[in-house]
Amino acid sequence: MPKFNKEHTQLSHLMKPAKPELLAPAGGMEALMAAVENGADAVYLGARAFSARGYASNFSEEEIENAIDYAHLRGVKVYVTVNTLLKEGEIESALMLLSRLREMGVDAIIIQDLGLISLSRKYLPDLPLHASTQMTLHNSVGAGFIKGLGIERIVLSREVSLEDIKTVKERNDVEIEVFIHGALCISYSGQCLLSSLIGGRSGNRGYCAQPCRKKYRLYCNGKQVKTTGSYLLSPKDLNTATALGPLIESGIESFKIEGRMKRPEYVAGVVRIYRRLIDRYLKDPAGYSVSEEERETLTQLFNRGFTSGYFFENPRGKLMSRENPHNRGIPAGRVISYDRRTKHFRVKLSNSLRLGDGIMVENAETRPEDKGKIISSMYTEKGPVYSAERGEVVEIPFDSRAPSGSTVYRTHDKKLMDSLKKESESGSLRPKIHISLKATIVQGKPARLEVMDRDSNFVVVESGYLVEKAEKSPTSKAQIEKQLTKLGNTLFEAAELEVNTEEDIFIPVGQLNDLRTQAVSQLEKLRISKWKRETLEIFPLSAPGEKKAAEIKKPETTGGLEERGEKDRTKSQKPSERPLISVSVYSLEELEGALEGGADCVYFGEGLFRKPETAEKEKSFSKEGISGTDLDLIFESSVLKTRDAGRKIYFTTPKIVKDSEIKTVEELLSRAEKFGADGVIVSNLGTFSLAKEKGVPCVADSSLNIYNGYTFALLLENRAKMAVLSPELTLEEIKEVASKGPAECIVHGRLELMESEHCIAGGLLGGNKGQCSAPCRSGNFKLVDEKNYEFPLLMDYQCRTHLLNSRSLCMLEYVPALIESGISSLRIETLGMDGSAEEVRKITEKYRKAVDAYYKSGEKTKEKCEGLGKGFTTGHYFRGVQ
């Protein structure tokens, strides 16, 4: 963890930072109540549909409204996640859900789908929207673009550094939310297709199967590389407890805890500690510290090892938890011996254990998921015991052999969890809400009570009883004060009380109690109801079974690519119109092969990826890759070669572009204009916005997650010439979207499964001191999973890892079906190929012939994928995703 800068903390006395929101996860109502009770300022939760945590219990619509009312009554905000990508047939349902959430009084929607954002701004303009981390927003230009769509807050990618966060804030008047604790994804969120392509469970749809937590082997040039641990894609968990100061000082508006899949007790414990830490720092920045008890509790609740992530530096290999992808808790002792006959092991304790605790034994001879167990019996020399303390030797039943010297971890602390549960359910942890009361009790008039809370909610109640003149025992002012401040088990506490009364009046105690009870009840209702919103008629819905009346206006089509000099395609693609063949290439040799094979358009990406064969030329590389002068010559040559062939060329921009790297993209845009390229292909909203700003034509790539016609229309309206549809769509789903404008689909090549800020080769082999030794130059790397599928690895010049699919996509046999789906362009991707012009030419030529054959005879091509090799896949074209 980073250490505080003393000068930094001393300055904090002069300028007190704003208090950041503490935002807690809620996978169910128990977790929500635990979060609220333990000090959360806001909670985020998911509906049963369209939530990026599809395996959490989540909330029905009725439960969501109850949750919102519960939280609002206690002064806590509620954000609902509608943060998955939406297919064409789901858009209307998602918009209707947003409409209902709006009426319930939700404070904001955390959202991913650009199409749904567009519709929400049009039909629900007063509904606050927060851009999900699934949108992969990681630079100030992208933040500016999404703010222009009406987004109030951005959840930045976890890989963004604190310095880059400050840049985003300086250049955009938009709220920033960041994760401060919990699980990390190895891939940039919103850019992972690993679970999708392996098993059809899409992370973009909320059903990630977490294949990153599985075992992999690393190979270089066909030889296995020895690694410490086999979980090569499994990161540690984020923990910023000791580093909160700089994050608070930066002015970040919201601190988010990950964990909608975690138990309520986990939520309670983590929220409680971060509540204390935030308040502690704001009270005394210079004296800020984290106690050993707090550190141990965070560790005990859940950890795969901890990291402060990318906030302060690139953690490289220290990011990863390669030896254990599961919760390791805290060390509880070491195995002394194991008895195979009785299946018991003896352990000397370094921490306490009790019945009901969970343990995990390092190096136990079983699968990792079976290493753990709940202690149901435990023995010492004296016989069975309920608990044992540090220093004692105990015997515990354990089915799998536990080698001597193995560490025993306590993964579940029953005493801690029981305590967190009991305290959270007590309702006594959250501070009472201060209210001011003013009572007017005079003879001959109704008793009147005015109540106002700290949020300026104000209610007035009057009794039906007329205050009488006292005949015997008058009601004293002290008695009135006593009864009106008996707030007992309510959420409120009297901070101020003013009683205006007279001598010799009488009012029964029951009347005072009723007055107080009515005022509290009305105040509670007001605190809830003031967030509710009037119903908006988005579109008329017909009765079940009837044909729907006019609904949402369908997206209009604008713009498009030209086909070899023909007019712009501004209407829906028809089978009679011949689609383009586009090829993504990464060298001049590959470009020549694509042109010789008959490509209509090339996407040229020289300088993006490191190549082992260029190691001897490393002196010509700058930190960003090939030197600027060399790149100028290469890009100029690529345009000349393409123009000579009468074809089109677009320069490829990186998918991830931090603010410190924006200059590289600006130079590429300038090259496109200078050398006369047709434009650029863009992969993130920042680069898309830059291209639009500078007037450079662009193609919106598949990493922008184009799932439906509304997202498609938004990009076209913002001057995209064409959009590459998500590879998770089926052919039938593509037909629905492609009818809205010029669309491209990737039909051949290895799909990129993830892009990671973490360099796998460098983290393992690059050394731990100083600058990485760039082992990626030593050969071709790949990961091999437990089923022996091979996933090629590519490293770029920003030292990011690109993981490619184990099998190459091939739709050669289905070219007629692709054409009839209405797409405007068939794209061949050459990443992961051998880089030879001949291979690129051969593949391009096959698709060229297939397209030409369809238009010549209307028949299927006789060419088969087997003619290009073995082990191909049709991806999601026929199976789709969950």
Side-chain angles (χ1 to χ4, degrees):
M1 297 287 184
K3 295 181 179 179
F4 281 114
N5 182 304
K6 290 184 179 179
E7 294 180 1
H8 177 84
T9 54
Q10 289 169 356
L11 286 173
S12 64
H13 290 289
L14 303 176
M15 287 193 337
K16 190 174 181 179
K19 184 178 181 179
E21 171 187 86
L22 179 58
L23 176 57
M29 194 63 191
E30 284 186 43
L32 180 137
M33 295 170 71
V36 170
E37 187 65 21
N38 284 277
D41 299 305
V43 293
Y44 65 102
L45 56 90
R48 295 274 167 81
F50 314 128
S51 169
R53 288 292 180 270
Y55 295 120
S57 56
N58 291 318
F59 292 73
S60 68
E61 288 184 23
E62 181 181 356
E63 289 169 339
I64 289 176
E65 185 158 23
N66 291 336
I68 292 172
D69 292 350
Y70 176 90
H72 281 171
L73 178 57
R74 291 158 178 78
V76 174
K77 293 181 178 181
V78 176
Y79 309 137
V80 175
T81 59
V82 184
N83 57 342
T84 60
L85 297 178
L86 302 168
K87 297 179 181 180
E88 194 77 8
E90 298 170 334
I91 279 282
E92 184 177 303
S93 295
L95 188 60
M96 290 174 67
L97 173 61
L98 261 56
S99 180
R100 290 191 290 271
L101 292 171
R102 174 191 166 277
E103 293 170 20
M104 294 175 194
V106 69
D107 293 276
I109 301 294
I110 301 175
I111 196 166
Q112 176 186 14
D113 193 281
L114 279 169
L116 187 58
I117 290 174
S118 175
L119 288 173
S120 179
R121 292 305 78 203
K122 181 175 181 179
Y123 293 101
L124 307 169
D126 62 346
L127 178 61
L129 300 180
H130 294 175
S132 168
T133 190
Q134 288 288 118
M135 294 194 76
T136 327
L137 291 163
H138 57 277
N139 58 50
S140 58
V141 192
F145 177 83
I146 206 71
K147 181 196 171 187
L149 297 181
I151 296 292
E152 296 184 0
R153 177 186 290 183
I154 294 170
V155 188
L156 288 172
S157 295
R158 292 172 173 91
E159 295 81 358
V160 179
S161 71
L162 185 56
E163 287 305 309
D164 281 340
I165 291 171
K166 292 176 182 177
T167 301
V168 172
K169 286 190 63 61
E170 288 169 3
R171 297 178 182 176
N172 297 283
D173 182 19
V174 65
E175 291 184 9
I176 298 297
E177 179 177 305
V178 299
F179 285 92
I180 60 162
H181 196 93
L184 291 172
C185 291
I186 187 63
S187 173
Y188 272 87
S189 294
Q191 300 303 319
C192 185
L193 296 175
L194 183 58
S195 175
S196 172
L197 268 297
I198 287 178
R201 292 191 278 179
S202 170
N204 283 316
R205 304 270 294 164
Y207 293 103
C208 178
Q210 295 195 311
C212 52
R213 303 294 182 185
K214 301 294 184 181
K215 285 185 176 182
Y216 295 90
R217 306 186 302 277
L218 181 67
Y219 282 76
C220 179
N221 293 334
K223 295 181 179 180
Q224 185 172 353
V225 178
K226 186 177 181 180
T227 60
T228 302
S230 301
Y231 300 95
L232 305 185
L233 295 177
S234 178
K236 295 177 181 176
D237 289 339
L238 182 63
N239 180 343
T240 62
T242 61
L244 272 186
L247 298 178
I248 293 173
E249 296 288 344
S250 72
I252 295 167
E253 281 79 10
S254 182
F255 288 177
K256 187 173 193 172
I257 296 167
E258 183 276 338
R260 280 195 286 149
M261 298 287 289
K262 299 288 201 312
R263 297 171 56 143
E265 295 88 345
Y266 169 88
V267 174
V270 176
V271 169
R272 182 185 300 185
I273 289 174
Y274 276 96
R275 174 78 283 148
R276 290 175 186 166
L277 297 181
I278 292 170
D279 294 346
R280 184 180 302 160
Y281 181 85
L282 291 171
K283 184 178 181 181
D284 180 16
Y288 178 80
S289 64
V290 183
S291 72
E292 282 303 315
E293 181 184 358
E294 289 164 337
R295 292 172 193 256
E296 182 172 304
T297 298
L298 288 175
T299 304
Q300 179 64 77
L301 285 169
F302 194 96
N303 84 93
R304 301 178 181 92
F306 283 132
T307 173
S308 58
Y310 290 91
F311 283 120
F312 306 99
E313 62 182 359
N314 188 325
R316 295 178 59 200
K318 295 177 182 178
L319 177 75
M320 305 305 289
S321 176
R322 302 191 191 98
E323 296 184 60
N324 180 19
H326 306 288
N327 177 30
R328 63 181 62 173
I330 62 173
R334 287 195 175 275
V335 175
I336 298 174
S337 62
Y338 181 81
D339 189 323
R340 290 175 179 268
R341 181 179 58 82
T342 62
K343 291 189 175 181
H344 285 56
F345 67 74
R346 296 174 69 242
V347 56
K348 184 170 183 178
L349 298 182
S350 58
N351 221 314
S352 64
L353 282 179
R354 58 184 51 82
L355 299 188
D357 283 354
I359 58 170
M360 184 269 291
V361 182
E362 181 184 52
N363 301 322
E365 293 181 354
T366 183
R367 296 181 304 170
E369 53 268 34
D370 295 333
K371 285 185 179 181
K373 70 162 289 179
I374 298 294
I375 301 175
S376 57
S377 58
M378 185 166 55
Y379 308 88
T380 66
E381 294 177 344
K382 300 176 182 179
V385 294
Y386 171 77
S387 63
E389 300 302 319
R390 180 177 180 176
E392 292 189 68
V393 175
V394 295
E395 188 174 303
I396 300 172
F398 200 75
D399 289 338
S400 302
R401 192 178 81 84
S404 297
S406 298
T407 301
V408 177
Y409 292 91
R410 187 179 67 200
T411 56
H412 176 84
D413 185 332
K414 185 177 186 299
K415 182 179 178 181
L416 172 64
M417 301 301 260
D418 287 349
S419 172
L420 288 169
K421 180 178 176 64
K422 183 178 179 181
E423 291 171 0
S424 297
E425 292 176 349
S426 70
S428 62
L429 294 178
R430 193 170 185 90
K432 298 274 188 176
I433 299 167
H434 287 182
I435 58 174
S436 300
L437 302 95
K438 180 180 179 181
T440 303
I441 301 176
V442 294
Q443 183 181 329
K445 293 184 178 181
R448 176 186 175 93
L449 180 61
E450 302 172 14
V451 179
M452 185 169 69
D453 65 17
R454 63 191 179 194
D455 300 313
S456 299
N457 295 304
F458 180 74
V459 297
V460 179
V461 294
E462 291 187 346
S463 68
Y465 170 85
L466 298 181
V467 180
E468 301 177 41
K469 181 177 180 178
E471 295 182 359
K472 294 182 179 180
S473 300
T475 304
S476 68
K477 184 176 182 180
Q479 288 176 308
I480 294 171
E481 290 175 346
K482 179 181 178 181
Q483 294 307 126
L484 293 182
T485 55
K486 279 186 175 181
L487 294 167
N489 293 327
T490 70
L491 299 173
F492 305 108
E493 180 177 79
E496 297 178 3
L497 173 62
E498 178 184 342
V499 176
N500 299 314
T501 188
E502 302 169 331
E503 294 183 2
D504 298 327
I505 59 97
F506 173 76
I507 182 170
V509 169
Q511 290 291 332
L512 290 172
N513 291 341
D514 288 346
L515 197 67
R516 181 197 66 231
T517 300
Q518 289 179 44
V520 167
S521 177
Q522 288 191 26
L523 183 60
E524 288 178 341
K525 290 177 181 177
L526 179 59
R527 288 178 66 85
I528 292 171
S529 63
K530 75 172 190 176
W531 299 103
K532 308 292 184 181
R533 301 180 181 93
E534 295 282 336
T535 300
L536 288 178
E537 289 298 330
I538 301 175
F539 41 78
L541 295 175
S542 55
E546 293 181 5
K547 187 176 181 180
K548 291 181 180 178
E551 298 178 358
I552 306 170
K553 185 179 178 184
K554 297 300 180 184
E556 297 176 354
T557 302
T558 58
L561 283 175
E562 295 178 357
E563 182 187 354
R564 297 196 220 173
E566 293 180 8
K567 64 180 180 180
D568 284 350
R569 299 179 182 185
T570 57
K571 296 183 179 180
S572 297
Q573 179 66 54
K574 299 177 182 179
S576 59
E577 296 180 32
R578 191 172 304 210
L580 302 174
I581 293 179
S582 301
V583 186
S584 293
V585 297
Y586 301 89
S587 69
L588 287 175
E589 292 78 12
E590 291 176 344
L591 179 142
E592 290 169 355
L595 295 175
E596 290 175 11
D600 299 296
C601 177
V602 290
Y603 301 139
F604 188 64
E606 176 66 78
L608 292 179
F609 297 98
R610 291 182 180 269
K611 302 171 186 177
E613 63 270 22
T614 61
E616 70 278 3
K617 301 178 183 178
E618 194 64 22
K619 62 182 180 181
S620 69
F621 287 78
S622 65
K623 183 179 179 181
E624 291 77 24
I626 304 173
S627 68
T629 302
D630 289 341
L631 278 175
D632 279 345
L633 293 173
I634 291 170
F635 278 99
E636 183 177 20
S637 179
S638 71
V639 174
L640 290 174
K641 289 176 182 291
T642 308
R643 288 286 176 260
D644 286 345
R647 316 294 167 78
K648 290 185 168 292
I649 183 169
Y650 285 71
F651 294 163
T652 304
T653 60
K655 184 184 297 182
I656 302 299
V657 184
K658 300 284 186 69
D659 273 296
S660 57
E661 301 157 7
I662 288 288
K663 183 179 178 182
T664 303
V665 174
E666 291 176 333
E667 290 172 351
L668 191 59
L669 295 175
S670 296
R671 287 191 183 100
E673 292 185 294
K674 178 180 178 181
F675 300 130
D678 294 278
V680 294
I681 181 165
V682 298
S683 304
N684 71 72
L685 289 175
T687 308
F688 178 70
S689 182
L690 270 181
K692 176 185 175 183
E693 176 189 325
K694 295 183 180 298
V696 178
C698 73
V699 173
D701 209 352
S702 62
S703 53
L704 290 173
N705 290 323
I706 300 135
Y707 248 69
N708 56 67
Y710 302 96
T711 297
F712 193 8
L714 177 66
L715 295 170
L716 294 179
E717 288 163 8
N718 282 274
R719 301 183 188 176
K721 300 289 285 182
M722 186 165 66
V724 187
L725 303 186
S726 169
E728 293 190 320
L729 297 180
T730 65
L731 262 175
E732 289 302 310
E733 291 162 349
I734 286 167
K735 288 179 183 178
E736 295 181 295
V737 182
S739 64
K740 311 299 191 299
E744 178 173 278
C745 289
I746 301 172
V747 300
H748 194 97
R750 291 184 187 267
L751 293 174
E752 185 174 300
L753 300 184
M754 66 168 64
E755 179 166 346
S756 175
E757 191 73 16
H758 174 67
C759 177
I760 294 174
L764 285 163
L765 309 172
N768 294 318
K769 296 181 180 179
Q771 194 171 359
C772 176
S773 61
C776 55
R777 293 180 297 168
S778 61
N780 293 307
F781 286 87
K782 63 186 176 185
L783 292 182
V784 180
D785 70 8
E786 293 174 286
K787 295 182 179 180
N788 291 320
Y789 285 107
E790 300 178 355
F791 300 86
L793 296 175
L794 295 176
M795 271 59 89
D796 63 29
Y797 281 101
Q798 297 300 333
C799 296
R800 298 184 181 109
T801 296
H802 302 253
L803 180 71
L804 306 185
N805 198 13
S806 60
R807 292 189 291 171
S808 182
L809 178 67
C810 182
M811 290 292 289
L812 183 59
E813 299 165 39
Y814 304 99
V815 165
L818 290 163
I819 295 172
E820 289 163 11
S821 72
I823 61 174
S824 302
S825 178
L826 283 65
R827 176 167 158 195
I828 297 167
E829 176 58 67
T830 67
L831 274 181
M833 294 185 185
D834 64 11
S836 70
E838 177 56 26
E839 184 181 14
V840 175
R841 183 202 63 76
K842 179 181 177 182
I843 293 169
T844 306
E845 187 176 69
K846 295 285 187 183
Y847 280 88
R848 175 81 277 156
K849 287 180 178 179
V851 171
D852 293 346
Y854 176 84
Y855 282 96
K856 184 176 181 180
S857 62
E859 298 178 357
K860 275 190 175 183
T861 178
K862 295 180 181 180
E863 297 289 348
K864 303 287 186 182
C865 291
E866 285 76 8
L868 294 171
K870 295 181 180 180
F872 289 107
T873 176
T874 55
H876 288 301
Y877 279 103
F878 300 106
R879 67 171 181 166
V881 294
Q882 186 173 357

